[in-house]
Amino acid sequence: GDTVKAKSADDGRWYPGTVDAADSSGALSVRWADPDGGPEVEVVALPDLRHFDVHREYTVGDDVLAVDPGDGELYPGVVTRANPDGTFRVAWDDPDGGDETVDADILHLRRVTVFKDYAPGGRVQAEHPSDGEMRMATVVSQSEDGTFTVRWDEPPEGGPEEHAVSPKAMKQPLVPLDKVQAGQHYRGTVQRLMPFGAFVDIGCEAGDAVVHKSRISSLQVDDVRDFLQVGQEVDVWVASVRAGGRIALTMLHGRVGDGPSRNQDLTQFAAASPDDWHFGTVSRMMPFGAFVDVRLPSGAIANGFLHVSNFGMGFVEKPSDVLKPDQEIQVRVLSADAATGRMALSMAGGAGSAQHVARGSPLARSLKPGLWLDGKVAR
């Protein structure tokens, strides 16, 4: 009965499902939420299972996002009925010429929080009925049907100065970039998924912010789609505000800033061999090196410093000529001090020779004979 995400043996991707049964070896039978022409049930080993938190209690009138069976995308609607089979009837906000309702189970629903406590005189962004554009307006009053009458700052030429607008079509004014600071908490909405992470709308005038995949979960994130969906609401914290107005986010509470935190747990990193290679992501460039988020095979993440002298490329005049923010690299842990929260890293060879490192690194183990690579002369 538990809802889970499980890795399919067919393609190695993670999909939602429900645990059906367990066998004597500890493996579990998982019934897929959407078999998509494949087997409805598959036996999955425990390492290939993750607990999947879903909202279960929906009531009539709840605002939701529901999956349209036609294209598999999420669209807004309202719960109108709880069905006897455990599914929920959802009426689409905009049927767009198709069916007006859909029956969906909890795995195909997402709860949406719609702010409805606007007050007369409050400043808002609202969707203009004539063209669908978001315009600045002032709340005039609230009607019994839940809509708000707003007065437009700049109504379309010849149009009325006021309209009744649903709270679903209203937003708080955008937050100025100079008011965004590291450590602030926001409730954001996932807008786009990328191989390196996700763009999240936090209501800032600078546009969507970025959460790198290394800051999505304490678990290893190989594919962002296994953890996030477009339209999903997420709790995020501002990790840093970078030059040019780029906002970096984290979904890991306490992992704020582009440098190491005194509170980060370096226990596993202190025990790591300096000969072992680990995947890392550059979080911030400095004149004399770079801060890097390092991930161990166990899934533990911590931030360390990679000094330019440990780039392993001889003389480097500018570290930014070699590395860029969000770049994925491989590093060794030279030292980790749990008391200060500091960790020293290296991209240079260790334990003897460059040949030894090349053969032992995770990247080298993934390469196949005959594969051509682009390279750069180091010295």
Side-chain angles (χ1 to χ4, degrees), residues 138-194:
T138 301
V139 176
V140 176
S141 62
Q142 182 177 8
S143 303
E144 292 184 359
D145 63 359
T147 61
F148 291 85
T149 299
V150 300
R151 180 178 296 112
W152 306 108
D153 287 6
E154 297 180 5
E157 187 175 353
E161 293 185 354
E162 297 182 356
H163 272 109
V165 181
S166 165
K168 284 189 176 183
M170 300 168 64
K171 292 181 179 180
Q172 299 280 6
L174 293 176
V175 178
L177 178 61
D178 59 7
K179 299 296 184 182
V180 178
Q181 299 179 0
Q184 290 177 336
H185 170 259
Y186 289 90
R187 184 71 174 171
T189 304
V190 177
Q191 300 296 312
R192 285 181 292 160
L193 300 180
M194 305 295 288

Side-chain angles (χ1 to χ4, degrees), residues 274-275 277 312 332 347-361 379:
D275 297 329
W277 291 87
R332 297 182 298 112
M347 289 197 304
S353 68
Q355 183 180 27
H356 171 89
V357 171
R359 288 178 177 174
S361 70
R379 60 179 181 269

Side-chain angles (χ1 to χ4, degrees), residues 250-267:
T250 177
M251 293 173 61
L252 303 172
H253 192 197
R255 278 292 291 115
V256 173
D258 287 326
S261 166
R262 291 180 63 92
N263 296 324
Q264 64 179 350
D265 185 359
L266 295 181
T267 305

Side-chain angles (χ1 to χ4, degrees), residues 244-298:
R246 294 178 58 204
I247 301 174
L249 303 174
T250 177
M251 293 173 61
L252 303 172
H253 192 197
R255 278 292 291 115
V256 173
D258 287 326
S261 166
R262 291 180 63 92
N263 296 324
Q264 64 179 350
D265 185 359
L266 295 181
T267 305
Q268 295 185 47
F269 294 86
S273 169
D275 297 329
D276 292 341
W277 291 87
H278 309 285
F279 289 105
T281 305
V282 178
S283 62
R284 183 184 180 190
M285 295 302 303
M286 300 293 287
F288 43 86
F291 286 105
V292 180
D293 286 327
V294 184
R295 182 185 297 276
L296 298 183
S298 65

Side-chain angles (χ1 to χ4, degrees), residues 51-103:
H51 189 265
F52 184 36
D53 289 323
V54 295
H55 186 68
R56 297 174 178 272
E57 301 297 328
Y58 291 95
T59 58
V60 173
D62 282 352
D63 294 298
V64 295
L65 292 173
V67 176
D68 184 347
D71 58 13
E73 297 293 330
L74 288 163
Y75 295 98
V78 178
V79 175
T80 60
R81 187 177 75 189
N83 298 319
D85 62 358
T87 61
F88 295 88
R89 177 70 51 86
V90 175
W92 299 118
D93 286 356
D94 182 9
D96 196 25
D99 294 335
E100 295 188 354
T101 64
V102 67
D103 290 336

Side-chain angles (χ1 to χ4, degrees), residues 183 210 377:
V210 177
V377 176

